Amino acid sequence: MIAPNQLTDPTVRAFVTAVNAGDRSAFSALLAPDATMSDDGSDREVAQWAEKEIWSANGHMDVVSESDGGLALVVDYRNDTWGEMRTAWRFVTDSGRVSRFETGQA
């Protein structure tokens, strides 16, 4: 596993740290105003998805590996709804904010 504070990209590092800390404010502050995301190839509304998959379900990211300068992660993701699954995450960042992220089973 890669500790969140060892992740290469500072924006992705902050994203993982916010998720794992259950810090909604830090998570929201990282998102660009028009941020988008997809889950298993289907676009979702970020706030609704985060509420269901992260906040109300105690989501947690254990990073297995990173690539593409830290913008692509393989993560053992767990939450109270789905249990644990290996997931892939890709991030598009701009000026320290996430403009898009994509996740899905790896």
XYZ file of all heavy atoms in Angstrom:
811
model
N 0.838 -1.190 0.000
C 0.000 0.000 0.000
C 0.881 1.250 0.000
O 1.972 1.240 0.553
C -0.891 0.033 1.234
C -1.912 -1.078 1.330
S -3.136 -1.006 0.026
C -3.711 -2.673 0.090
N 0.347 2.300 -0.581
C 1.032 3.585 -0.580
C 0.292 4.503 0.391
O -0.916 4.719 0.241
C 1.048 4.225 -1.989
C 1.728 3.287 -2.993
C 1.722 5.583 -1.952
C 1.599 3.750 -4.439
N 0.996 5.015 1.370
C 0.380 5.943 2.324
C -0.045 7.202 1.575
O 0.669 7.662 0.674
C 1.367 6.294 3.425
N -1.212 7.766 1.924
C -1.673 8.965 1.216
C -0.629 10.080 1.165
O -0.492 10.748 0.139
C -2.915 9.389 2.005
C -3.446 8.093 2.544
C -2.206 7.290 2.882
N 0.139 10.260 2.235
C 1.115 11.356 2.231
C 2.314 11.074 1.339
O 3.163 11.943 1.153
C 1.562 11.702 3.661
C 2.335 10.578 4.331
O 2.462 9.481 3.789
N 2.826 10.856 5.519
N 2.366 9.879 0.740
C 3.445 9.523 -0.185
C 3.006 9.609 -1.653
O 3.809 9.341 -2.545
C 3.951 8.104 0.113
C 4.520 7.945 1.499
C 5.752 8.812 1.719
O 6.665 8.820 0.897
N 5.763 9.554 2.807
N 1.751 9.956 -1.899
C 1.274 10.049 -3.279
C 1.958 11.207 -4.003
O 2.215 12.258 -3.413
C -0.251 10.204 -3.308
C -1.020 8.979 -2.802
C -2.497 9.309 -2.644
C -0.815 7.789 -3.737
N 2.234 11.002 -5.274
C 3.019 11.941 -6.065
C 2.309 13.264 -6.317
O 2.884 14.330 -6.120
C 3.395 11.289 -7.419
O 4.113 10.087 -7.150
C 4.234 12.215 -8.270
N 1.075 13.204 -6.780
C 0.353 14.421 -7.158
C -0.288 15.048 -5.921
O -1.071 14.394 -5.227
C -0.716 14.102 -8.209
C -1.406 15.354 -8.698
O -2.380 15.791 -8.044
O -0.959 15.909 -9.717
N 0.004 16.326 -5.639
C -0.525 16.939 -4.413
C -2.044 17.053 -4.377
O -2.646 16.940 -3.300
C 0.141 18.313 -4.376
C 0.644 18.560 -5.754
C 0.896 17.219 -6.379
N -2.685 17.240 -5.511
C -4.144 17.361 -5.532
C -4.782 15.999 -5.269
O -5.734 15.887 -4.482
C -4.623 17.948 -6.871
O -3.949 19.195 -7.090
C -6.115 18.175 -6.887
N -4.259 14.967 -5.895
C -4.758 13.606 -5.657
C -4.478 13.207 -4.216
O -5.330 12.598 -3.551
C -4.143 12.609 -6.665
C -4.516 11.176 -6.320
C -4.576 12.960 -8.088
N -3.310 13.558 -3.703
C -2.973 13.281 -2.298
C -4.006 13.907 -1.383
O -4.510 13.262 -0.455
C -1.583 13.848 -1.989
C -1.114 13.590 -0.578
C 0.254 14.247 -0.277
N 1.167 14.225 -1.398
C 1.808 15.298 -1.875
N 1.666 16.482 -1.314
N 2.618 15.188 -2.906
N -4.372 15.153 -1.644
C -5.374 15.848 -0.816
C -6.750 15.199 -0.955
O -7.504 15.112 0.021
C -5.418 17.321 -1.195
N -7.095 14.736 -2.156
C -8.377 14.065 -2.403
C -8.467 12.798 -1.552
O -9.446 12.591 -0.831
C -8.480 13.738 -3.895
C -9.770 13.094 -4.330
C -10.774 13.854 -4.912
C -9.972 11.722 -4.212
C -11.961 13.262 -5.349
C -11.151 11.123 -4.628
C -12.145 11.893 -5.196
N -7.452 11.937 -1.638
C -7.449 10.686 -0.876
C -7.481 10.981 0.621
O -8.228 10.346 1.376
C -6.232 9.819 -1.257
C -6.109 8.603 -0.344
C -6.315 9.387 -2.723
N -6.715 11.957 1.053
C -6.674 12.324 2.469
C -8.048 12.789 2.951
O -8.503 12.395 4.028
C -5.606 13.410 2.711
O -4.330 12.867 2.335
C -5.563 13.841 4.160
N -8.723 13.608 2.147
C -10.060 14.103 2.515
C -11.063 12.959 2.602
O -11.849 12.889 3.555
C -10.528 15.155 1.515
N -11.045 12.061 1.624
C -11.964 10.912 1.651
C -11.719 10.092 2.917
O -12.649 9.777 3.660
C -11.805 10.038 0.388
C -12.534 8.702 0.548
C -12.317 10.778 -0.838
N -10.466 9.755 3.168
C -10.159 8.881 4.297
C -10.435 9.529 5.645
O -10.739 8.831 6.616
C -8.715 8.388 4.214
C -8.520 7.388 3.102
O -9.479 6.927 2.482
N -7.282 7.058 2.827
N -10.376 10.857 5.705
C -10.661 11.573 6.953
C -12.148 11.876 7.119
O -12.569 12.369 8.167
C -9.867 12.879 6.994
N -12.947 11.596 6.080
C -14.364 11.947 6.130
C -14.574 13.449 6.138
O -15.549 13.953 6.683
N -13.656 14.172 5.488
C -13.644 15.635 5.510
C -14.350 16.194 4.276
O -13.738 16.437 3.236
C -12.208 16.131 5.593
C -12.101 17.615 5.863
O -13.067 18.366 5.577
O -11.027 18.029 6.354
N -15.648 16.393 4.411
C -16.465 16.903 3.293
C -16.000 18.279 2.824
O -15.999 18.564 1.630
C -17.929 17.005 3.704
C -18.583 15.703 4.010
C -19.979 15.942 4.565
N -20.566 14.749 5.127
C -21.715 14.239 4.729
N -22.405 14.830 3.781
N -22.185 13.151 5.293
N -15.640 19.137 3.764
C -15.223 20.501 3.404
C -13.953 20.482 2.568
O -13.866 21.178 1.553
C -15.006 21.351 4.657
O -16.219 21.500 5.349
N -12.962 19.700 2.989
C -11.711 19.615 2.230
C -11.964 19.006 0.855
O -11.415 19.469 -0.151
C -10.674 18.801 2.996
N -12.814 17.985 0.797
C -13.162 17.342 -0.467
C -13.811 18.361 -1.409
O -13.396 18.506 -2.557
C -14.109 16.176 -0.199
C -14.568 15.429 -1.414
C -13.828 14.383 -1.925
C -15.775 15.745 -2.027
C -14.257 13.671 -3.039
C -16.216 15.041 -3.135
C -15.451 14.004 -3.640
N -14.797 19.080 -0.911
C -15.501 20.068 -1.733
C -14.565 21.164 -2.216
O -14.664 21.615 -3.349
C -16.663 20.681 -0.953
O -17.636 19.696 -0.695
N -13.650 21.582 -1.353
C -12.718 22.643 -1.718
C -11.758 22.199 -2.824
O -11.245 23.046 -3.567
C -11.931 23.090 -0.489
N -11.536 20.913 -2.951
C -10.642 20.393 -3.993
C -11.300 20.335 -5.363
O -10.612 20.237 -6.369
C -10.182 18.980 -3.631
C -9.130 18.877 -2.566
C -8.993 17.440 -2.109
C -7.811 19.406 -3.084
N -12.600 20.354 -5.396
C -13.312 20.207 -6.661
C -13.463 21.544 -7.365
O -13.845 22.541 -6.751
C -14.697 19.604 -6.422
C -14.729 18.211 -5.798
C -16.170 17.799 -5.551
C -14.013 17.193 -6.660
N -13.176 21.548 -8.657
C -13.457 22.730 -9.468
C -14.967 22.964 -9.452
O -15.750 22.020 -9.254
C -12.976 22.508 -10.899
N -15.414 24.206 -9.631
C -16.857 24.496 -9.573
C -17.701 23.641 -10.524
O -18.835 23.305 -10.210
C -16.945 25.975 -9.942
C -15.598 26.525 -9.622
C -14.615 25.407 -9.851
N -17.138 23.291 -11.671
C -17.892 22.502 -12.656
C -17.358 21.071 -12.756
O -17.438 20.442 -13.803
C -17.846 23.191 -14.015
C -16.413 23.414 -14.503
O -15.455 23.203 -13.718
O -16.251 23.788 -15.673
N -16.825 20.541 -11.654
C -16.233 19.206 -11.658
C -17.253 18.149 -12.080
O -18.436 18.233 -11.741
C -15.676 18.872 -10.278
N -16.757 17.160 -12.810
C -17.587 16.044 -13.255
C -16.921 14.743 -12.827
O -15.744 14.713 -12.478
C -17.765 16.054 -14.787
O -16.479 15.923 -15.411
C -18.446 17.336 -15.252
N -17.701 13.663 -12.894
C -17.146 12.354 -12.551
C -17.953 11.263 -13.221
O -19.068 11.488 -13.689
C -17.117 12.149 -11.030
C -18.423 12.182 -10.292
S -19.250 10.579 -9.991
C -17.960 9.481 -9.540
N -17.339 10.087 -13.279
C -18.068 8.919 -13.754
C -17.733 7.737 -12.857
O -16.660 7.665 -12.251
C -17.732 8.591 -15.214
O -16.418 8.093 -15.323
N -18.684 6.827 -12.757
C -18.537 5.601 -11.981
C -18.889 4.440 -12.897
O -19.998 4.395 -13.431
C -19.463 5.645 -10.762
C -19.289 4.462 -9.823
O -18.495 3.553 -10.134
O -19.953 4.437 -8.780
N -17.935 3.557 -13.123
C -18.110 2.429 -14.039
C -18.626 2.875 -15.410
O -19.501 2.239 -15.998
C -19.025 1.352 -13.439
C -18.293 0.469 -12.441
O -17.072 0.239 -12.605
O -18.942 -0.015 -11.492
N -18.102 4.001 -15.893
C -18.417 4.475 -17.232
C -19.674 5.316 -17.356
O -19.978 5.809 -18.439
N -20.409 5.516 -16.267
C -21.628 6.331 -16.305
C -21.401 7.624 -15.552
O -20.975 7.599 -14.388
C -22.800 5.581 -15.658
O -23.097 4.413 -16.382
N -21.662 8.740 -16.209
C -21.515 10.025 -15.536
C -22.514 10.131 -14.387
O -23.662 9.689 -14.508
C -21.725 11.184 -16.511
C -20.480 11.460 -17.347
O -19.448 10.773 -17.165
O -20.531 12.376 -18.182
N -22.048 10.700 -13.300
C -22.861 10.885 -12.094
C -22.728 12.325 -11.630
O -21.744 13.001 -11.933
C -22.376 9.972 -10.958
C -22.303 8.510 -11.308
C -23.660 7.868 -11.237
N -23.527 6.433 -11.416
C -24.334 5.714 -12.163
N -25.344 6.268 -12.787
N -24.161 4.419 -12.277
N -23.683 12.767 -10.844
C -23.610 14.081 -10.214
C -22.700 13.928 -9.002
O -22.932 13.075 -8.144
C -25.011 14.548 -9.827
C -25.128 16.042 -9.570
C -24.574 16.441 -8.226
O -24.806 15.704 -7.249
O -23.877 17.465 -8.154
N -21.635 14.727 -8.939
C -20.575 14.524 -7.953
C -21.091 14.541 -6.515
O -20.796 13.633 -5.729
C -19.446 15.568 -8.124
C -18.392 15.409 -7.042
C -18.816 15.466 -9.503
N -21.856 15.552 -6.133
C -22.294 15.675 -4.732
C -23.174 14.499 -4.320
O -23.011 13.947 -3.221
C -23.014 16.995 -4.506
N -24.098 14.104 -5.178
C -24.978 12.973 -4.853
C -24.184 11.675 -4.749
O -24.393 10.875 -3.834
C -26.076 12.824 -5.910
C -27.102 13.911 -5.870
C -28.116 13.773 -7.003
O -28.003 12.926 -7.875
N -29.124 14.648 -6.992
N -23.263 11.468 -5.694
C -22.450 10.262 -5.679
C -21.595 10.213 -4.410
O -21.537 9.179 -3.743
C -21.568 10.205 -6.926
C -20.707 8.987 -6.981
C -21.033 7.782 -7.533
C -19.385 8.839 -6.438
N -19.990 6.896 -7.374
C -18.964 7.521 -6.708
C -18.525 9.692 -5.762
C -17.717 7.046 -6.321
C -17.288 9.218 -5.375
C -16.887 7.899 -5.655
N -20.941 11.331 -4.083
C -20.073 11.369 -2.906
C -20.868 11.104 -1.628
O -20.410 10.387 -0.741
C -19.342 12.702 -2.821
N -22.055 11.663 -1.536
C -22.886 11.427 -0.350
C -23.186 9.932 -0.193
O -23.048 9.371 0.897
C -24.184 12.226 -0.426
C -25.117 12.003 0.746
C -24.505 12.338 2.110
O -23.726 13.309 2.213
O -24.801 11.618 3.083
N -23.571 9.293 -1.290
C -23.963 7.880 -1.239
C -22.762 6.944 -1.093
O -22.801 6.004 -0.303
C -24.739 7.529 -2.519
C -25.176 6.089 -2.578
C -25.927 5.792 -3.864
C -26.281 4.328 -3.932
N -26.764 3.943 -5.241
N -21.705 7.186 -1.849
C -20.598 6.237 -1.927
C -19.461 6.518 -0.940
O -18.675 5.616 -0.644
C -20.022 6.206 -3.351
C -21.021 5.793 -4.399
C -21.493 4.347 -4.273
O -20.800 3.541 -3.639
O -22.563 4.034 -4.817
N -19.376 7.766 -0.463
C -18.296 8.105 0.475
C -18.855 8.426 1.847
O -18.651 7.695 2.806
C -17.443 9.295 -0.034
C -16.806 8.977 -1.395
C -16.360 9.644 0.993
C -16.107 10.166 -2.051
N -19.573 9.540 1.973
C -19.900 10.087 3.299
C -20.847 9.217 4.103
O -20.539 8.860 5.234
C -20.433 11.517 3.170
C -19.596 12.352 2.258
C -20.024 13.070 1.182
C -18.177 12.566 2.315
N -18.964 13.688 0.563
C -17.814 13.392 1.243
C -17.165 12.114 3.156
C -16.510 13.805 0.995
C -15.852 12.502 2.914
C -15.541 13.342 1.854
N -22.000 8.866 3.560
C -22.957 8.093 4.352
C -22.579 6.619 4.456
O -23.158 5.892 5.256
C -24.373 8.245 3.783
O -24.469 7.646 2.510
N -21.578 6.186 3.669
C -21.170 4.778 3.672
C -19.749 4.579 4.211
O -19.189 3.492 4.093
C -21.269 4.216 2.252
N -19.171 5.636 4.801
C -17.828 5.530 5.391
C -16.789 5.025 4.392
O -16.047 4.082 4.665
C -17.840 4.626 6.629
C -18.738 5.176 7.708
O -18.601 6.314 8.109
N -19.685 4.365 8.160
N -16.724 5.673 3.220
C -15.774 5.279 2.185
C -14.328 5.451 2.626
O -13.999 6.366 3.387
N -13.471 4.551 2.142
C -12.048 4.609 2.484
C -11.228 4.073 1.313
O -11.580 3.048 0.722
C -11.763 3.776 3.735
C -10.373 3.942 4.234
N -9.996 4.949 5.092
C -9.249 3.231 3.981
C -8.712 4.850 5.352
N -8.228 3.808 4.681
N -10.123 4.767 1.016
C -9.246 4.410 -0.096
C -7.901 3.920 0.434
O -7.203 4.665 1.113
C -9.010 5.628 -0.991
C -10.258 6.252 -1.555
S -9.944 7.808 -2.443
C -9.355 7.173 -4.017
N -7.521 2.673 0.113
C -6.178 2.160 0.353
C -5.503 2.061 -1.011
O -5.889 1.218 -1.835
C -6.210 0.783 1.020
C -6.618 0.848 2.481
O -6.259 1.828 3.164
O -7.308 -0.078 2.948
N -4.535 2.937 -1.261
C -3.904 3.015 -2.576
C -2.913 1.870 -2.742
O -1.985 1.715 -1.950
C -3.225 4.376 -2.785
C -2.566 4.438 -4.161
C -4.231 5.511 -2.620
N -3.116 1.089 -3.806
C -2.260 -0.048 -4.123
C -1.102 0.400 -5.016
O 0.042 0.022 -4.817
C -3.077 -1.167 -4.816
C -2.191 -2.315 -5.258
C -4.188 -1.644 -3.901
N -1.411 1.227 -6.022
C -0.381 1.701 -6.944
C -0.831 3.008 -7.582
O -2.013 3.359 -7.552
C -0.094 0.654 -8.027
O -1.232 0.469 -8.856
N 0.164 3.708 -8.154
C -0.128 4.931 -8.891
C 0.684 4.935 -10.171
O 1.730 4.290 -10.266
C 0.158 6.184 -8.045
C 1.594 6.400 -7.704
C 1.863 7.720 -6.972
O 0.965 8.570 -6.848
O 3.012 7.895 -6.551
N 0.172 5.668 -11.172
C 0.866 5.820 -12.448
C 0.477 7.165 -13.036
O -0.282 7.927 -12.421
C 0.520 4.665 -13.399
O -0.867 4.602 -13.633
N 0.986 7.456 -14.218
C 0.672 8.699 -14.919
C 0.936 9.921 -14.039
O 0.099 10.819 -13.918
C -0.772 8.681 -15.418
C -1.069 9.793 -16.436
O -0.115 10.311 -17.048
O -2.258 10.138 -16.599
N 2.103 9.939 -13.408
C 2.463 11.073 -12.564
C 1.580 11.240 -11.342
O 1.481 12.326 -10.791
N 0.937 10.169 -10.929
C 0.069 10.220 -9.760
C -1.384 10.510 -10.074
O -2.207 10.588 -9.160
N -1.721 10.640 -11.352
C -3.102 10.942 -11.738
C -3.946 9.696 -11.964
O -5.156 9.796 -12.187
C -3.127 11.819 -12.993
C -2.522 13.211 -12.816
C -2.481 13.945 -14.151
C -3.294 14.015 -11.769
N -3.328 8.527 -11.909
C -4.055 7.260 -12.043
C -3.701 6.391 -10.852
O -2.520 6.205 -10.540
C -3.683 6.572 -13.351
N -4.722 5.891 -10.177
C -4.519 5.058 -8.997
C -5.253 3.738 -9.147
O -6.314 3.680 -9.772
C -5.073 5.744 -7.740
C -4.606 7.143 -7.380
C -5.351 7.632 -6.132
C -3.101 7.180 -7.172
N -4.693 2.707 -8.541
C -5.422 1.475 -8.281
C -5.604 1.453 -6.774
O -4.647 1.651 -6.007
C -4.658 0.227 -8.771
C -5.385 -1.043 -8.345
C -4.520 0.264 -10.289
N -6.852 1.263 -6.352
C -7.230 1.439 -4.949
C -8.069 0.259 -4.480
O -8.956 -0.205 -5.206
C -8.059 2.748 -4.800
C -8.654 2.884 -3.421
C -7.223 3.959 -5.167
N -7.790 -0.206 -3.278
C -8.736 -1.092 -2.601
C -9.694 -0.150 -1.876
O -9.329 0.480 -0.881
C -8.023 -2.023 -1.613
C -7.275 -3.142 -2.316
O -7.624 -3.455 -3.473
O -6.342 -3.696 -1.712
N -10.906 -0.007 -2.456
C -11.900 0.925 -1.922
C -12.910 0.136 -1.115
O -13.366 -0.926 -1.541
C -12.612 1.676 -3.058
C -13.535 2.743 -2.542
C -13.032 3.962 -2.122
C -14.901 2.522 -2.426
C -13.867 4.948 -1.613
C -15.743 3.490 -1.926
C -15.218 4.700 -1.526
O -16.054 5.662 -1.018
N -13.251 0.657 0.043
C -14.275 -0.020 0.838
C -15.267 0.998 1.374
O -14.912 2.142 1.642
C -13.653 -0.843 1.964
C -13.000 -0.054 3.044
C -12.405 -0.994 4.129
N -11.787 -0.241 5.188
C -10.543 0.202 5.182
N -9.767 -0.033 4.152
N -10.069 0.877 6.199
N -16.494 0.531 1.483
C -17.521 1.307 2.169
C -18.543 0.337 2.762
O -18.492 -0.858 2.507
C -18.151 2.381 1.251
C -18.976 1.823 0.120
O -19.487 0.716 0.167
N -19.119 2.611 -0.934
N -19.429 0.882 3.565
C -20.395 0.043 4.274
C -21.446 -0.558 3.347
O -22.116 -1.519 3.719
C -21.100 0.852 5.371
C -20.152 1.295 6.475
O -19.030 0.748 6.566
O -20.525 2.202 7.245
N -21.601 -0.004 2.152
C -22.605 -0.496 1.211
C -22.097 -1.695 0.422
O -22.779 -2.706 0.299
C -23.017 0.624 0.230
O -23.483 1.738 0.979
C -24.083 0.148 -0.737
N -20.899 -1.580 -0.136
C -20.393 -2.571 -1.081
C -19.272 -3.443 -0.520
O -18.840 -4.376 -1.196
C -19.887 -1.878 -2.352
C -20.903 -1.008 -2.985
C -20.919 0.356 -3.017
C -22.081 -1.418 -3.690
N -22.026 0.805 -3.686
C -22.762 -0.263 -4.102
C -22.620 -2.661 -3.991
C -23.949 -0.312 -4.812
C -23.810 -2.701 -4.702
C -24.463 -1.542 -5.106
N -18.768 -3.132 0.655
C -17.616 -3.877 1.161
C -16.354 -3.360 0.489
O -16.239 -2.174 0.190
N -15.412 -4.256 0.204
C -14.149 -3.845 -0.415
C -14.053 -4.356 -1.833
O -14.445 -5.481 -2.121
C -12.961 -4.376 0.394
C -11.631 -3.858 -0.129
C -10.462 -4.196 0.770
O -10.562 -3.925 1.984
O -9.466 -4.734 0.260
N -13.543 -3.493 -2.709
C -13.335 -3.880 -4.099
C -12.120 -3.143 -4.650
O -11.791 -2.046 -4.192
C -14.566 -3.599 -4.943
C -14.880 -2.126 -5.144
S -16.483 -1.831 -5.884
C -17.510 -1.864 -4.436
N -11.462 -3.753 -5.597
C -10.336 -3.105 -6.265
C -10.910 -2.187 -7.335
O -11.714 -2.597 -8.165
C -9.428 -4.165 -6.881
C -8.285 -3.562 -7.604
C -6.896 -3.819 -7.194
N -6.538 -4.177 -5.860
C -5.471 -4.904 -5.554
N -4.692 -5.377 -6.518
N -5.159 -5.153 -4.305
N -10.493 -0.929 -7.281
C -11.021 0.079 -8.197
C -9.876 0.837 -8.859
O -8.770 0.922 -8.328
C -11.924 1.084 -7.454
O -11.194 1.659 -6.365
C -13.184 0.412 -6.930
N -10.160 1.383 -10.015
C -9.232 2.250 -10.733
C -9.785 3.667 -10.666
O -11.000 3.874 -10.767
C -9.101 1.801 -12.187
N -8.903 4.630 -10.465
C -9.281 6.042 -10.395
C -8.377 6.822 -11.331
O -7.171 6.608 -11.358
C -9.086 6.586 -8.970
C -9.963 5.938 -7.951
C -9.883 4.662 -7.469
C -11.059 6.544 -7.280
N -10.867 4.446 -6.535
C -11.602 5.577 -6.397
C -11.630 7.823 -7.322
C -12.693 5.847 -5.579
C -12.708 8.082 -6.509
C -13.244 7.100 -5.644
N -8.965 7.738 -12.110
C -8.204 8.657 -12.955
C -8.663 10.069 -12.631
O -9.858 10.315 -12.497
C -8.436 8.375 -14.436
C -7.633 7.173 -14.912
C -7.449 7.086 -16.399
N -6.565 7.974 -17.102
C -5.249 8.108 -16.923
N -4.646 7.479 -15.969
N -4.546 8.900 -17.688
N -7.701 10.951 -12.544
C -7.990 12.328 -12.177
C -7.517 13.282 -13.259
O -6.456 13.088 -13.855
C -7.259 12.694 -10.870
C -7.743 11.919 -9.683
C -7.179 10.682 -9.366
C -8.763 12.399 -8.881
C -7.623 9.955 -8.275
C -9.218 11.669 -7.787
C -8.639 10.446 -7.488
N -8.312 14.323 -13.478
C -7.908 15.462 -14.291
C -7.875 16.642 -13.335
O -8.881 16.936 -12.670
C -8.899 15.726 -15.449
C -8.480 16.946 -16.236
C -9.018 14.499 -16.344
N -6.712 17.267 -13.229
C -6.556 18.370 -12.294
C -6.143 19.628 -13.042
O -5.558 19.572 -14.118
C -5.505 18.048 -11.209
O -4.234 17.860 -11.829
C -5.890 16.793 -10.427
N -6.459 20.771 -12.441
C -6.087 22.058 -13.012
C -5.944 23.042 -11.862
O -6.890 23.232 -11.082
C -7.163 22.525 -13.995
C -6.808 23.839 -14.664
O -5.612 24.109 -14.863
O -7.741 24.596 -14.996
N -4.787 23.624 -11.726
C -4.519 24.636 -10.698
C -4.868 24.152 -9.294
O -5.473 24.873 -8.500
C -5.275 25.923 -11.012
O -4.906 26.407 -12.282
N -4.513 22.900 -8.990
C -4.724 22.380 -7.654
C -6.129 21.921 -7.341
O -6.459 21.665 -6.184
N -6.961 21.819 -8.371
C -8.336 21.358 -8.158
C -8.645 20.217 -9.123
O -8.078 20.127 -10.202
C -9.314 22.513 -8.355
C -9.013 23.610 -7.312
C -9.950 24.726 -7.370
N -11.104 24.443 -6.530
C -12.131 25.266 -6.424
N -12.152 26.398 -7.103
N -13.143 24.973 -5.650
N -9.568 19.362 -8.721
C -10.001 18.245 -9.538
C -11.134 18.721 -10.439
O -12.171 19.156 -9.946
C -10.470 17.059 -8.655
C -11.041 15.932 -9.528
C -9.338 16.553 -7.780
N -10.911 18.633 -11.751
C -11.976 19.026 -12.671
C -12.793 17.809 -13.115
O -13.953 17.948 -13.502
C -11.419 19.767 -13.885
O -10.448 18.990 -14.545
N -12.181 16.619 -13.042
C -12.908 15.386 -13.346
C -12.190 14.217 -12.679
O -10.971 14.190 -12.594
C -12.977 15.126 -14.857
C -13.728 13.832 -15.195
C -14.072 13.742 -16.664
N -14.734 12.498 -17.003
C -16.038 12.249 -16.876
N -16.842 13.177 -16.395
N -16.559 11.088 -17.225
N -12.996 13.276 -12.195
C -12.423 11.990 -11.794
C -13.333 10.883 -12.283
O -14.537 11.053 -12.447
C -12.148 11.916 -10.275
C -13.354 11.924 -9.371
C -13.932 10.743 -8.945
C -13.901 13.121 -8.926
C -15.030 10.745 -8.079
C -14.988 13.146 -8.070
C -15.557 11.944 -7.647
N -12.683 9.768 -12.580
C -13.385 8.595 -13.072
C -12.976 7.420 -12.208
O -11.793 7.253 -11.892
C -13.015 8.320 -14.525
C -13.379 9.467 -15.449
C -12.861 9.299 -16.867
O -12.024 8.401 -17.102
O -13.278 10.086 -17.722
N -13.937 6.630 -11.798
C -13.657 5.449 -11.008
C -14.465 4.281 -11.544
O -15.480 4.452 -12.216
C -13.942 5.684 -9.502
O -13.528 4.533 -8.773
C -15.407 5.981 -9.248
N -13.999 3.108 -11.247
C -14.684 1.900 -11.658
C -13.887 0.691 -11.206
O -12.741 0.823 -10.772
N -14.483 -0.460 -11.334
C -13.792 -1.675 -10.911
C -12.541 -1.885 -11.750
O -12.542 -1.650 -12.953
C -14.732 -2.865 -10.983
C -15.825 -2.759 -9.916
C -16.572 -4.055 -9.719
O -15.995 -5.128 -9.788
N -17.864 -3.934 -9.483
N -11.492 -2.314 -11.080
C -10.207 -2.527 -11.756
C -10.066 -3.995 -12.151
O -10.658 -4.863 -11.567
C -9.063 -2.119 -10.853
